[in-house]
Amino acid sequence: MRPGLIDFGGDERPGVSILLLHGLMGRARTWWPVAQWLNRYGRVRALDARGHGRAPHTGPWTTEQFAEDVADVLADLGPTVLIGHSMGGLHAWATAAKYPELVRAVVSEDFAPDQRGRTVETWRGYFESWPVPFESLAHVREFFGTAGDYFTECVEEREDGYHLIADLENLYEIAAEWGRRDYWSIVDGIRCPLLLVEGEHTAMPAGQQAEVAARVPGARHLVMPGSAHLPHAEAPETYRGAVEAFLSGL
């Protein structure tokens, strides 16, 4: 199996496959809670993006390269539903636009296509404010609150405590691209069914996720009450209901 490709099981039915794509600094295994209910809809797999988890920690760090990585997996799976969080949502859009024959539908969670002008300094200041190394997994959970279980999957133990698995310099380079370009041309190339899930308290530019839905024929946009950037962990039941309704309608 490809390094960083996790198989969470589920019904093995022809043409019914789901691939989960994580966000910046995450990894495939963060999707385990979602996979527990999602696997009734098909065989569920999740992929470490390059620079994360067990995937190669080498560039290039372009959106197009990430989409190529996803397409390489889909070439063996056939038409697949892509479910992506944040960065993973962008990679799902890009894959769907370039390889429409490989993507059956997309669920995109809290990503906006035009963040030009934002710099990695915002990310740098946030990441470097964390009390790394964390003293224990309990410390990780306490620090991140409702997203604590998610972030325990994103760290590894070293001699002095727990550190992010991903290299921060790689993450800064990935995020820097988002501040230099917009992705509306990619959005305009999506022709498959699309569900956009936005956190009520998102830090993404206002209105853009609704505009994505307006530009993609038949797309739906839902705001998850009480959540910020991680609706599938912060509002899990609402997120589940939205995704199950979407998949049931395919």
Side-chain angles (χ1 to χ4, degrees):
M1 182 181 290
R2 179 190 180 98
L5 180 63
I6 307 300
D7 190 338
F8 285 120
D11 295 337
E12 189 71 86
R13 291 176 284 165
V16 182
S17 181
I18 299 169
L19 184 65
L20 303 169
L21 306 174
H22 64 79
L24 191 72
M25 92 176 69
R27 62 185 304 204
R29 293 192 184 278
T30 61
W31 284 109
W32 182 85
V34 172
Q36 301 315 293
W37 54 263
L38 196 57
N39 58 22
R40 73 187 63 183
Y41 295 94
R43 191 64 170 265
V44 179
R45 298 171 178 87
L47 180 66
D48 284 335
R50 64 176 54 224
H52 299 74
R54 293 175 56 243
H57 284 225
T58 56
W61 307 112
T62 65
T63 297
E64 286 73 19
Q65 181 60 63
F66 285 112
E68 292 284 345
D69 294 342
V70 175
D72 285 346
V73 173
L74 300 189
D76 294 328
L77 301 181
T80 296
V81 175
L82 298 180
I83 298 179
H85 166 243
S86 190
M87 176 186 77
L90 170 62
H91 297 166
W93 293 350
T95 308
K98 187 171 182 180
Y99 302 96
E101 73 282 1
L102 295 178
V103 181
R104 185 174 176 222
V106 169
V107 177
S108 167
E109 181 184 358
D110 213 53
F111 193 86
D114 188 353
Q115 301 179 53
R116 287 175 295 174
R118 294 188 174 189
T119 71
V120 295
E121 294 311 309
T122 300
W123 297 89
R124 189 186 304 273
Y126 175 56
F127 291 161
E128 294 180 1
S129 72
W130 296 357
V132 177
F134 293 96
E135 296 176 19
S136 69
L137 292 178
H139 186 194
V140 175
R141 291 190 182 93
E142 179 183 80
F143 181 79
F144 290 106
T146 57
D149 286 342
Y150 176 92
F151 280 102
T152 59
E153 299 285 0
C154 303
V155 297
E156 62 183 357
E157 186 175 16
R158 301 178 191 167
E159 186 173 348
D160 60 345
Y162 288 85
H163 294 255
L164 276 178
I165 296 173
D167 185 288
L168 284 176
E169 291 306 316
N170 293 343
L171 303 188
Y172 298 146
E173 192 167 345
I174 293 167
E177 185 192 66
W178 307 341
R180 292 193 301 266
R181 58 182 289 198
D182 72 81
Y183 298 97
W184 288 115
S185 62
I186 287 175
V187 167
D188 291 338
I190 300 171
R191 291 294 179 266
C192 65
L194 172 63
L195 171 65
L196 294 113
V197 176
E198 180 174 359
E200 179 184 13
H201 306 296
T202 182
M204 292 290 158
Q208 288 193 21
Q209 294 180 71
E211 185 176 348
V212 171
R215 291 171 72 146
V216 176
R220 299 179 61 201
H221 169 242
L222 296 174
V223 175
M224 298 285 106
S227 67
H229 187 54
L230 202 63
H232 74 265
E234 297 160 339
E237 293 305 317
T238 310
Y239 175 86
R240 175 177 178 174
V243 173
E244 288 191 323
F246 177 71
L247 295 177
S248 296
L250 293 179

